[in-house]
DNA sequence: CATTATGTAGACCAGTCGTTATAATAACAT
DNA sequence: ATGTTATTATAACGACTGGTCTACATAATG
């Protein structure tokens, strides 16, 4: 695997997480990644759509494994998810509210504009939902409940990140952690 | 109140809801609003930041009153919020997944980029949270619980809209409706 | 050594961005 | 009718956009 190509993708993930699809220019990616511009269209001949699609998918995979690893630290589902969301709150704060939710902006901007990027976003989100769902399955939830709650947890966390980044405070995410725990404990 | 000015603001609300801050150009606003081009900097001498801030706030106020009206149709909080979220699902579907969550994209894109727009987003979001909170207060929740749940509901609905727009399906929002009801009923 | 991919380097394109300056026009009070 | 202000029109600005192109270096293989 080419190192330059990987570098371009990672830089794209970071920039789009911070400022979305339209807010991120190819020149910016080139500059920040240190990659030569000639390489950009060498590795991604289909342009920005291709780079974005691959970056979105990469973000999804990375986030999904982070969820898996985070949740594996605790055998109780409610407690595991509670602590995991607290960790996100900390991460968002540590980034000065520029990180968290790497998919949101891109997903919203391209939902009805680019078939290709939208497909990547769907796949990425379903990876996240599945990661939560499987933890719930392990902990004895029925298949239906695990699926439904996987979606619900993803939505609540997603929304919590948005509020936390907007308010420049981890508190909304901490509220989400607390009440998800209530919901999962009953 | 100038009609042209109001038209520009409303058009900006709609376009930014669909495609975010960076995805919406001033020329596009001028064209779609039908407003004369020279009027833009006449009514908004501080440019795009000013237009966006005012549009965000207007979206927040409008959404907050929609929440109030929607929730007033049912005296039971859990049922009121459940039905209201189902209505959002329907609205998102009817828009072909281009509408819903008028603040999300702008809030994320500008959280660390524009002090002014960020302030408008905070104010707008707190209007939404308050709308939920007051319904809960009316229904007998304690002040603390109402506040916490107001934030949680806002986050969950916000996340549900993102998923629904991404998946091109109202189902995620319907999941959110269902499990919010569970949480609020216990 | 010659040949062929593969990757690097960046000038360059047409078009758009937000913004500004200037001027014409409309509305209105005096 | 005159002076004043509010509104609209036009064109241009410099910077940047995503994308293309050619020239060149390097490496691998024959």
């Amino acid at each position: 695997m080419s190192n330059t190509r990987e570098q371009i993708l990672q830089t794209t993930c970071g920039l789009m997480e911070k400022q979305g699809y339209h807010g991120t220019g190819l020149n910016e990616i080139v500059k920040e990644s240190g990659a030569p511009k000639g390489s950009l269209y060498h590795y991604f001949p289909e342009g920005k759509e291709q780079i974005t699609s691959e970056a979105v998918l990469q973000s999804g995979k990375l986030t999904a494994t982070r969820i898996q690893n985070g949740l594996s630290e605790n055998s109780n589902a409610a407690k595991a998810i509670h602590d995991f969301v607290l960790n996100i709150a900390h991460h968002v704060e540590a980034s000065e509210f520029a990180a968290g939710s790497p998919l949101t902006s891109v997903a919203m901007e391209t939902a009805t504009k680019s078939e290709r990027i939208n497909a990547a976003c769907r796949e990425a989100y379903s990876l996240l939902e599945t990661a939560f769902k499987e933890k719930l399955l392990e902990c004895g939830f029925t298949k239906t409940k695990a699926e439904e709650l996987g979606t619900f947890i993803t939505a609540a966390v997603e929304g919590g990140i948005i509020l936390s980044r907007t308010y420049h405070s981890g508190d909304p995410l901490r509220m989400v952690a607390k009440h998800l725990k209530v919901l999962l404990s009953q």
Side-chain angles (χ1 to χ4, degrees), chain A:
Chain A
M1 254 299 149
S2 157
N3 204 338
T4 304
R5 191 187 147 93
E6 196 55 31
Q7 190 56 46
I8 291 175
L9 273 184
Q10 271 178 242
T11 305
T12 305
C13 289
L15 287 173
M16 296 219 169
E17 178 169 7
K18 196 184 345 180
Q19 53 204 17
Y21 177 75
H22 289 108
T24 303
L26 295 185
N27 295 326
E28 198 179 359
I29 294 173
V30 165
K31 184 192 265 183
E32 179 156 327
S33 70
K37 180 149 193 184
S39 299
L40 215 158
Y41 276 88
H42 174 73
Y43 291 111
F44 305 93
E46 285 139 282
K48 195 181 186 182
E49 257 200 313
Q50 183 187 4
I51 300 180
T52 307
S53 304
E54 296 197 25
V56 160
L57 212 56
Q58 178 156 310
S59 278
K61 286 176 185 168
L62 182 65
T63 307
T65 66
R66 279 194 188 138
I67 294 174
Q68 285 160 10
N69 293 338
L71 295 187
S72 71
E73 286 176 17
N74 207 302
S75 63
N76 175 279
K79 177 117 180 52
I81 286 168
H82 173 265
D83 290 359
F84 177 70
V85 176
L86 288 190
N87 279 340
I88 299 179
H90 188 264
H91 171 247
V92 170
E93 285 173 338
S95 77
E96 304 270 14
F97 312 101
S101 229
L103 307 172
T104 310
S105 284
V106 178
M108 292 283 277
E109 289 174 275
T110 62
T112 61
K113 298 258 176 177
S114 161
E115 189 69 41
R116 182 174 186 176
I117 301 175
N118 176 248
C121 290
R122 290 188 204 207
E123 197 173 335
Y125 269 123
S126 73
L127 289 177
L128 310 196
E129 292 184 51
T130 303
F132 287 118
K133 169 187 148 194
E134 286 185 347
K135 178 68 176 181
L136 295 174
L137 280 176
E138 285 172 24
C139 295
F141 285 76
T142 70
K143 195 182 164 198
T144 311
K145 271 275 171 280
E147 229 158 60
E148 290 185 10
L149 286 171
T151 300
F152 183 77
I153 294 167
T154 305
V157 172
E158 195 82 0
I161 295 174
I162 294 167
L163 292 183
S164 276
R165 283 179 65 172
T166 302
Y167 284 123
H168 291 199
S169 155
D171 291 347
L173 270 170
R174 284 185 271 272
M175 281 303 125
V176 169
K178 178 174 176 181
H179 289 282
L180 276 181
K181 190 177 169 196
V182 171
L183 182 70
L184 295 171
S185 296
Q186 48 135 47

Short mmCIF file of all heavy atoms in Angstrom, two decimals, chain A residues 24-27 37 41 48, chain D residues 16-22:
data_model
loop_
_atom_site.label_atom_id
_atom_site.label_comp_id
_atom_site.label_asym_id
_atom_site.label_seq_id
_atom_site.Cartn_x
_atom_site.Cartn_y
_atom_site.Cartn_z
N THR A 24 -13.92 21.76 2.69
CA THR A 24 -12.58 21.20 2.54
C THR A 24 -12.17 21.19 1.07
O THR A 24 -12.82 20.56 0.24
CB THR A 24 -12.53 19.76 3.10
OG1 THR A 24 -12.94 19.78 4.46
CG2 THR A 24 -11.12 19.20 3.00
N GLY A 25 -11.12 21.90 0.74
CA GLY A 25 -10.65 21.98 -0.64
C GLY A 25 -9.55 20.97 -0.93
O GLY A 25 -8.84 20.55 -0.01
N LEU A 26 -9.44 20.62 -2.18
CA LEU A 26 -8.39 19.67 -2.56
C LEU A 26 -7.01 20.28 -2.32
O LEU A 26 -6.09 19.58 -1.88
CB LEU A 26 -8.54 19.29 -4.03
CG LEU A 26 -9.82 18.52 -4.38
CD1 LEU A 26 -9.80 18.08 -5.83
CD2 LEU A 26 -9.97 17.31 -3.48
N ASN A 27 -6.87 21.54 -2.58
CA ASN A 27 -5.58 22.19 -2.33
C ASN A 27 -5.21 22.12 -0.86
O ASN A 27 -4.04 21.95 -0.52
CB ASN A 27 -5.63 23.64 -2.80
CG ASN A 27 -5.81 23.75 -4.30
OD1 ASN A 27 -5.30 22.92 -5.05
ND2 ASN A 27 -6.54 24.75 -4.74
N LYS A 37 0.56 17.49 -5.42
CA LYS A 37 -0.76 17.53 -6.06
C LYS A 37 -0.87 16.55 -7.22
O LYS A 37 -1.93 16.02 -7.49
CB LYS A 37 -1.04 18.95 -6.56
CG LYS A 37 -2.40 19.06 -7.24
CD LYS A 37 -3.03 20.41 -7.08
CE LYS A 37 -4.49 20.35 -7.49
NZ LYS A 37 -5.15 21.64 -7.44
N TYR A 41 -4.40 13.11 -8.14
CA TYR A 41 -5.19 12.55 -9.24
C TYR A 41 -4.55 11.29 -9.81
O TYR A 41 -5.13 10.62 -10.66
CB TYR A 41 -5.43 13.60 -10.32
CG TYR A 41 -6.62 14.44 -9.95
CD1 TYR A 41 -6.49 15.58 -9.17
CD2 TYR A 41 -7.90 14.06 -10.35
CE1 TYR A 41 -7.59 16.31 -8.79
CE2 TYR A 41 -9.00 14.80 -9.99
CZ TYR A 41 -8.85 15.93 -9.21
OH TYR A 41 -9.94 16.66 -8.84
N LYS A 48 -12.64 14.40 -6.30
CA LYS A 48 -13.04 14.64 -4.92
C LYS A 48 -14.07 13.63 -4.42
O LYS A 48 -14.05 13.23 -3.26
CB LYS A 48 -13.60 16.07 -4.80
CG LYS A 48 -13.70 16.55 -3.36
CD LYS A 48 -14.28 17.97 -3.28
CE LYS A 48 -14.25 18.48 -1.86
NZ LYS A 48 -14.84 19.83 -1.72
P DC D 16 -6.23 32.55 -0.99
OP1 DC D 16 -6.23 32.45 0.48
OP2 DC D 16 -4.98 32.57 -1.76
"O5'" DC D 16 -7.14 31.37 -1.55
"C5'" DC D 16 -8.50 31.31 -1.17
"C4'" DC D 16 -9.29 30.56 -2.20
"O4'" DC D 16 -9.22 31.23 -3.47
"C3'" DC D 16 -8.80 29.14 -2.48
"O3'" DC D 16 -9.66 28.21 -1.84
"C2'" DC D 16 -8.90 29.00 -4.01
"C1'" DC D 16 -9.61 30.28 -4.43
N1 DC D 16 -9.21 30.74 -5.79
C2 DC D 16 -10.11 30.57 -6.83
O2 DC D 16 -11.21 30.04 -6.61
N3 DC D 16 -9.77 30.98 -8.08
C4 DC D 16 -8.57 31.55 -8.28
N4 DC D 16 -8.29 31.94 -9.52
C5 DC D 16 -7.64 31.74 -7.21
C6 DC D 16 -7.99 31.32 -6.00
P DT D 17 -9.35 26.67 -1.87
OP1 DT D 17 -9.73 26.21 -0.52
OP2 DT D 17 -8.00 26.42 -2.41
"O5'" DT D 17 -10.41 26.08 -2.91
"C5'" DT D 17 -11.74 26.58 -2.96
"C4'" DT D 17 -12.45 26.01 -4.16
"O4'" DT D 17 -12.23 26.88 -5.30
"C3'" DT D 17 -11.97 24.66 -4.62
"O3'" DT D 17 -12.66 23.65 -3.92
"C2'" DT D 17 -12.33 24.66 -6.11
"C1'" DT D 17 -12.25 26.14 -6.51
N1 DT D 17 -11.06 26.57 -7.28
C2 DT D 17 -11.13 26.66 -8.65
O2 DT D 17 -12.13 26.36 -9.27
N3 DT D 17 -9.99 27.11 -9.25
C4 DT D 17 -8.80 27.47 -8.65
O4 DT D 17 -7.83 27.87 -9.30
C5 DT D 17 -8.79 27.33 -7.21
C7 DT D 17 -7.56 27.69 -6.46
C6 DT D 17 -9.90 26.90 -6.61
P DG D 18 -12.02 22.18 -3.82
OP1 DG D 18 -12.80 21.45 -2.80
OP2 DG D 18 -10.56 22.32 -3.70
"O5'" DG D 18 -12.35 21.58 -5.25
"C5'" DG D 18 -13.70 21.41 -5.64
"C4'" DG D 18 -13.74 20.96 -7.09
"O4'" DG D 18 -13.00 21.92 -7.88
"C3'" DG D 18 -13.10 19.60 -7.36
"O3'" DG D 18 -13.86 18.92 -8.36
"C2'" DG D 18 -11.70 19.97 -7.84
"C1'" DG D 18 -11.96 21.26 -8.59
N9 DG D 18 -10.80 22.15 -8.59
C8 DG D 18 -10.01 22.49 -7.53
N7 DG D 18 -9.04 23.31 -7.84
C5 DG D 18 -9.20 23.52 -9.19
C6 DG D 18 -8.44 24.31 -10.10
O6 DG D 18 -7.46 25.01 -9.86
N1 DG D 18 -8.93 24.26 -11.40
C2 DG D 18 -10.04 23.52 -11.77
N2 DG D 18 -10.37 23.56 -13.06
N3 DG D 18 -10.75 22.77 -10.94
C4 DG D 18 -10.28 22.81 -9.67
P DG D 19 -13.32 17.51 -8.91
OP1 DG D 19 -14.47 16.79 -9.46
OP2 DG D 19 -12.50 16.88 -7.86
"O5'" DG D 19 -12.39 17.93 -10.13
"C5'" DG D 19 -12.96 18.60 -11.24
"C4'" DG D 19 -11.89 18.88 -12.28
"O4'" DG D 19 -10.94 19.83 -11.75
"C3'" DG D 19 -11.07 17.64 -12.68
"O3'" DG D 19 -11.27 17.40 -14.08
"C2'" DG D 19 -9.63 18.02 -12.37
"C1'" DG D 19 -9.68 19.53 -12.27
N9 DG D 19 -8.68 20.08 -11.37
C8 DG D 19 -8.55 19.84 -10.02
N7 DG D 19 -7.55 20.49 -9.48
C5 DG D 19 -6.99 21.19 -10.53
C6 DG D 19 -5.88 22.06 -10.54
O6 DG D 19 -5.15 22.40 -9.61
N1 DG D 19 -5.65 22.57 -11.82
C2 DG D 19 -6.39 22.27 -12.92
N2 DG D 19 -6.01 22.84 -14.06
N3 DG D 19 -7.43 21.45 -12.92
C4 DG D 19 -7.67 20.95 -11.69
P DT D 20 -10.57 16.21 -14.83
OP1 DT D 20 -11.49 15.69 -15.84
OP2 DT D 20 -9.99 15.31 -13.81
"O5'" DT D 20 -9.38 16.95 -15.58
"C5'" DT D 20 -9.68 18.05 -16.43
"C4'" DT D 20 -8.39 18.60 -17.03
"O4'" DT D 20 -7.58 19.19 -15.99
"C3'" DT D 20 -7.50 17.55 -17.72
"O3'" DT D 20 -7.31 17.95 -19.07
"C2'" DT D 20 -6.20 17.55 -16.91
"C1'" DT D 20 -6.22 18.94 -16.28
N1 DT D 20 -5.48 19.07 -14.99
C2 DT D 20 -4.39 19.90 -14.92
O2 DT D 20 -3.97 20.55 -15.86
N3 DT D 20 -3.79 19.96 -13.69
C4 DT D 20 -4.16 19.27 -12.54
O4 DT D 20 -3.56 19.40 -11.49
C5 DT D 20 -5.32 18.41 -12.69
C7 DT D 20 -5.81 17.63 -11.52
C6 DT D 20 -5.91 18.35 -13.89
P DC D 21 -6.75 16.93 -20.13
OP1 DC D 21 -7.37 17.19 -21.44
OP2 DC D 21 -6.78 15.56 -19.56
"O5'" DC D 21 -5.22 17.40 -20.21
"C5'" DC D 21 -4.94 18.78 -20.39
"C4'" DC D 21 -3.47 19.07 -20.07
"O4'" DC D 21 -3.29 19.13 -18.65
"C3'" DC D 21 -2.51 17.98 -20.54
"O3'" DC D 21 -1.99 18.35 -21.81
"C2'" DC D 21 -1.42 17.95 -19.47
"C1'" DC D 21 -1.95 18.83 -18.36
N1 DC D 21 -1.96 18.18 -16.99
C2 DC D 21 -1.08 18.66 -16.02
O2 DC D 21 -0.30 19.57 -16.31
N3 DC D 21 -1.09 18.08 -14.79
C4 DC D 21 -1.94 17.09 -14.54
N4 DC D 21 -1.93 16.57 -13.31
C5 DC D 21 -2.84 16.60 -15.52
C6 DC D 21 -2.82 17.16 -16.73
P DT D 22 -1.07 17.30 -22.63
OP1 DT D 22 -1.27 17.58 -24.06
OP2 DT D 22 -1.28 15.93 -22.11
"O5'" DT D 22 0.39 17.76 -22.19
"C5'" DT D 22 0.69 19.15 -22.05
"C4'" DT D 22 2.00 19.32 -21.29
"O4'" DT D 22 1.80 19.04 -19.87
"C3'" DT D 22 3.12 18.39 -21.74
"O3'" DT D 22 4.32 19.14 -21.85
"C2'" DT D 22 3.23 17.37 -20.62
"C1'" DT D 22 2.83 18.20 -19.41
N1 DT D 22 2.32 17.42 -18.25
C2 DT D 22 2.84 17.65 -16.99
O2 DT D 22 3.71 18.48 -16.76
N3 DT D 22 2.29 16.87 -16.00
C4 DT D 22 1.31 15.91 -16.14
O4 DT D 22 0.91 15.28 -15.18
C5 DT D 22 0.83 15.72 -17.49
C7 DT D 22 -0.22 14.69 -17.74
C6 DT D 22 1.35 16.47 -18.47
#
